[in-house]
Amino acid sequence: MHQPKHRLHSALWALIAAASLIGLLRSAATAAAAPANRPHIINLGAQLPGRIMNRVVVIHNPGAHALRLYRLSTSCGCVTASVSPHVIKPGATATLKLRIITHLDPGPASISALLLGHLGKEPWAREWIIKYVIHPMLVIPPPAHSILSTQAIDLGHIKRRRLAKPIVLNVYRGNYLAHWTKLACRCNSRELMISVKPINSRHWRIIIHFTTLDIVGTHNYRLRFSFLNHGKPLAYHLDEALEFTVRGTLSLVPASLLVGIIKADSIYHRDITLWSADPAITPRFIGASSSAPDNIHIQIIDHGQKARITLTPKAKREAFPGRLTFVVQYGKQRITMHENFFAYILKRHGEPSKKLIVPKGPPRVIVIHSNLAK
């Protein structure tokens, strides 16, 4: 009489045991598959700021179905990636190419690349995390009453009479492990004369002399630091922008040219004039040039009273910064004046992006190299 009930309990316990067994098997399968889906770490160790490195990863398809890749993305614009071919046959491989530009700020960095696809009908994903730590070759503390970024030394506003005295920058050895015994520095302009005075093995003074006092407005120079080990130069150079604004009785109106957002097919015009605090002197433009002569044309009009700026985007897209240079006759003086400009050029409607996420075609031969200090 109780046998059917006993059989019911036995069958119930058998079902529970089977369900538990299936759950355990699924958990085991998930645990076994989990390591394959974990991010792959690419540890680059200690690196210099702003260096370009290339890394290549081989992707193998061990499955019985084709692996079709459809999306490749990166977490930062400092790393670009491409993969080929975008369809990997069973047992075949593909090549993932990573181009990395290291950050400028000291300290640890972590960026990633994510590749998505389908292995047969099942979703497939692979992530690579690129880690490194930035150690600078040189540390440049901010001069008195000025601001320093990782990309530029900003001296702020300088009175014209201050140009008669040299500007001194103190620089110190960074914590990047490279052997060098001498520091050199040069400028891309003849308006500055640079000398380096060693204080000790970890401290130098950069002395900047102005070769002309006839400069007014915003100025941007490029300082290049070179490192030598017993007379032999290292492959690495450090480029720093030196920025300042000279105040005087003469100024450009507007002081900077913020073009803003413009379409790729449009043409931008703007007139720049001169303002003099001395009503007895009438300044006039006698020469002008730009850092992008193919895209920006400068025409002197109204007998030198105005400079007409014409911007034609042509092949330029997205952010477009640069500098305008003017030569001005101010009484008996010829003064060089600079003005920065910035524009953002929109793409044409339907114009493809230059960055191809998943390129098609046969695999390419890629040379792996790293531009590090040697």
Side-chain angles (χ1 to χ4, degrees):
M1 179 169 149
H2 297 285
Q3 198 170 9
K5 187 175 182 181
H6 175 72
R7 288 177 179 174
L8 181 62
H9 279 287
S10 298
L12 182 60
W13 281 111
L15 288 172
I16 293 173
S20 300
L21 181 59
I22 292 171
L24 288 172
L25 290 173
R26 285 180 177 173
S27 299
T30 303
N37 293 326
R38 288 177 184 171
H40 297 256
I41 306 298
I42 300 176
N43 195 337
L44 302 178
Q47 295 293 335
L48 289 163
R51 305 314 294 155
I52 299 175
M53 291 174 291
N54 296 307
R55 289 294 182 270
V56 171
V57 177
V58 176
I59 304 168
H60 182 243
N61 178 14
H65 302 281
L67 174 57
R68 299 180 180 274
L69 307 173
Y70 67 89
R71 182 179 298 172
L72 175 59
S73 58
T74 61
S75 63
C76 174
C78 60
V79 56
T80 56
S82 63
V83 62
S84 62
H86 69 291
V87 176
I88 312 175
K89 297 178 180 179
T93 60
T95 301
L96 172 69
K97 178 176 127 178
L98 300 168
R99 183 177 184 270
I100 304 148
I101 303 177
T102 59
H103 292 178
L104 298 176
D105 296 325
S110 180
I111 51 183
S112 64
L114 179 64
L115 185 59
L116 301 178
H118 286 101
L119 183 58
K121 295 183 178 181
E122 296 296 324
W124 181 94
R126 189 72 56 85
E127 183 182 14
W128 292 267
I129 296 181
I130 305 161
K131 293 180 176 289
Y132 57 85
V133 180
I134 292 297
H135 293 294
M137 189 80 84
L138 206 64
V139 176
I140 309 176
H145 310 295
S146 66
I147 301 171
L148 172 75
S149 72
T150 56
Q151 304 177 42
I153 305 167
D154 187 356
L155 301 179
H157 288 80
I158 299 176
K159 293 183 179 180
R160 234 180 122 192
R161 63 176 180 267
R162 176 68 179 81
L163 301 178
K165 298 180 180 180
I167 292 175
V168 178
L169 300 176
N170 288 289
V171 300
Y172 300 88
R173 185 186 294 268
N175 58 355
Y176 186 82
L177 295 178
H179 297 289
W180 54 280
T181 56
K182 183 180 178 180
L183 177 67
C185 181
R186 60 184 177 88
C187 180
N188 65 339
S189 172
R190 293 181 180 179
E191 294 175 358
L192 300 185
M193 186 173 64
I194 310 293
S195 59
V196 180
K197 181 181 179 180
I199 305 302
N200 54 48
S201 62
R202 302 193 63 83
H203 180 199
W204 294 262
R205 284 190 183 134
I206 310 299
I207 303 170
I208 303 171
H209 295 270
F210 293 91
T211 59
T212 176
L213 305 183
D214 294 332
I215 54 175
V216 181
T218 301
H219 293 262
N220 187 306
Y221 300 94
R222 180 67 59 180
L223 301 182
R224 166 157 282 199
F225 294 92
S226 303
F227 309 88
L228 298 92
N229 187 26
H230 298 289
K232 184 179 179 180
L234 304 188
Y236 174 74
H237 300 278
L238 173 63
D239 291 325
E240 286 281 337
L242 179 68
E243 300 176 355
F244 56 88
T245 300
V246 180
R247 288 177 173 170
T249 57
L250 183 65
S251 59
L252 296 166
V253 182
S256 60
L257 193 60
L258 180 60
V259 178
I261 299 174
I262 65 173
K263 295 180 180 180
D265 297 320
S266 63
I267 298 177
Y268 174 87
H269 295 286
R270 182 65 185 267
D271 289 348
I272 294 178
T273 60
L274 289 163
W275 177 85
S276 173
D278 187 347
I281 301 177
T282 301
R284 62 187 181 90
F285 293 105
I286 58 175
S289 61
S290 78
S291 60
D294 292 338
N295 301 94
I296 290 189
H297 175 70
I298 306 176
Q299 180 185 9
I300 298 173
I301 60 175
D302 291 350
H303 306 286
Q305 298 303 303
K306 294 180 181 180
R308 177 155 295 170
I309 312 300
T310 302
L311 168 60
T312 307
K314 294 183 179 178
K316 288 286 185 182
R317 299 294 180 270
E318 299 182 345
F320 182 28
R323 187 172 73 162
L324 309 173
T325 300
F326 302 95
V327 180
V328 178
Q329 187 71 44
Y330 190 60
K332 296 182 179 181
Q333 296 178 325
R334 285 194 175 187
I335 298 176
T336 302
M337 306 183 72
H338 300 289
E339 179 164 323
N340 294 328
F341 69 84
F342 180 83
Y344 193 93
I345 315 299
L346 296 176
K347 292 183 176 68
R348 293 186 179 92
H349 179 71
E351 184 176 5
S353 173
K354 291 183 179 179
K355 182 182 176 183
L356 192 60
I357 295 179
V358 183
K360 299 180 180 180
R364 289 171 287 177
V365 178
I366 299 169
V367 179
I368 308 175
H369 64 276
S370 180
N371 296 327
L372 301 179
K374 296 181 180 178

